[in-house]
Amino acid sequence: MHGYFGTSIRDIMQSCGMELSLARYHFGSKDALFQQAIGRRAAVISRQVIESLEAELAPLQGKRPDVEAIVTALSAPAFAHLKSGDPGWRNYLRLLTQIGCLLERPDLTAPFYDQYAPAAARYRDAFAKALPRVTRETVELVQHFVESVFHLVLNELYAQEARSGAKALATAHIERMRTYLIRFAVGGIEAMVSSASAQRGS
């Protein structure tokens, strides 16, 4: 709710109704506590996004995938967790939206990225197959673009929830936001690729 830098370990323990000394004993510092929290479900979400992609690509039988199918697969697990209402997953996904604010502290996010690396590589390869005429650098930009848009949409959902005062947003609204995410990401990728192709041709 307040981000990494806006929260103290004392705040966390008070909200849990526990003594500060317990956090110091088990984790030692706020950094270590954050690393444990962000790494806790990383392997699970990594496996789920890989499985989601494989399910989208399986019917193609090796044919070239399209960008929309890849973006759809990437967003499916997280939005399924949001719609389920599971508080653990809702809080974890909210924690992931903080990653962009921690670029200067790669040590804090390493427990997530280390476990998510296989999924990131799998999606990078899928984007490369979907966009055979672009450079590897452009493929990497495409992947970063999609992930950034994904985090922004999640942030907006949490902000809407806070503004409405509701405990959870309606499933229909969450799915509508996912539809917007996919359309926006696909449109942005198409524009990015067209621009890159035009620059090569000039």
Side-chain angles (χ1 to χ4, degrees):
M1 290 177 64
H2 302 292
Y4 180 79
F5 297 108
T7 306
S8 70
I9 197 165
R10 186 180 298 277
D11 295 331
I12 295 167
M13 298 311 288
Q14 284 180 345
S15 70
C16 296
M18 301 179 73
E19 294 294 329
L20 178 63
S21 58
L22 282 174
R24 298 294 186 196
Y25 176 78
H26 288 289
F27 302 103
S29 66
K30 186 176 77 168
D31 286 4
L33 176 57
F34 184 87
Q35 290 168 330
Q36 287 289 324
I38 206 166
R40 185 177 180 194
R41 298 174 186 241
V44 177
I45 197 70
S46 177
R47 185 183 72 249
Q48 289 174 342
V49 295
I50 290 174
E51 290 171 352
S52 180
L53 180 63
E54 290 175 346
E56 284 282 344
L57 300 186
L60 299 178
Q61 298 181 336
K63 296 178 183 176
R64 192 174 87 184
D66 62 31
V67 168
E68 183 171 347
I70 299 169
V71 176
T72 298
L74 180 62
S75 64
F79 277 81
H81 288 308
L82 283 178
K83 289 186 290 185
S84 75
D86 181 288
W89 274 109
R90 289 172 65 83
N91 290 336
Y92 185 73
L93 292 170
R94 186 167 189 165
L95 189 67
L96 292 186
T97 65
Q98 306 291 329
I99 283 179
C101 301
L102 299 172
L103 297 179
E104 295 179 359
R105 291 294 308 276
D107 57 307
L108 292 178
T109 55
F112 174 79
Y113 284 119
D114 288 349
Q115 295 188 71
Y116 191 74
R122 186 75 178 85
Y123 274 82
R124 196 157 47 247
D125 289 344
F127 278 124
K129 288 178 181 177
L131 305 167
R133 293 186 177 87
V134 305
T135 64
R136 191 70 176 181
E137 180 184 13
T138 301
V139 168
E140 291 175 357
L141 285 173
V142 163
Q143 187 170 12
H144 291 317
F145 173 80
V146 174
E147 291 170 351
S148 297
V149 172
F150 187 32
H151 283 167
L152 286 172
V153 170
L154 285 179
N155 266 322
E156 177 58 20
L157 280 168
Y158 288 118
Q160 290 176 4
E161 185 176 279
R163 289 194 297 267
S164 69
K167 291 184 178 179
L169 294 171
T171 296
H173 180 69
I174 293 172
E175 189 57 32
R176 187 162 62 249
M177 289 295 285
R178 181 186 175 217
T179 300
Y180 293 154
L181 182 160
I182 294 168
R183 290 176 181 171
F184 184 79
V186 172
I189 292 168
E190 290 174 349
M192 187 187 300
V193 171
S194 296
S195 175
S197 299
Q199 287 176 358
R200 284 202 312 275
S202 60

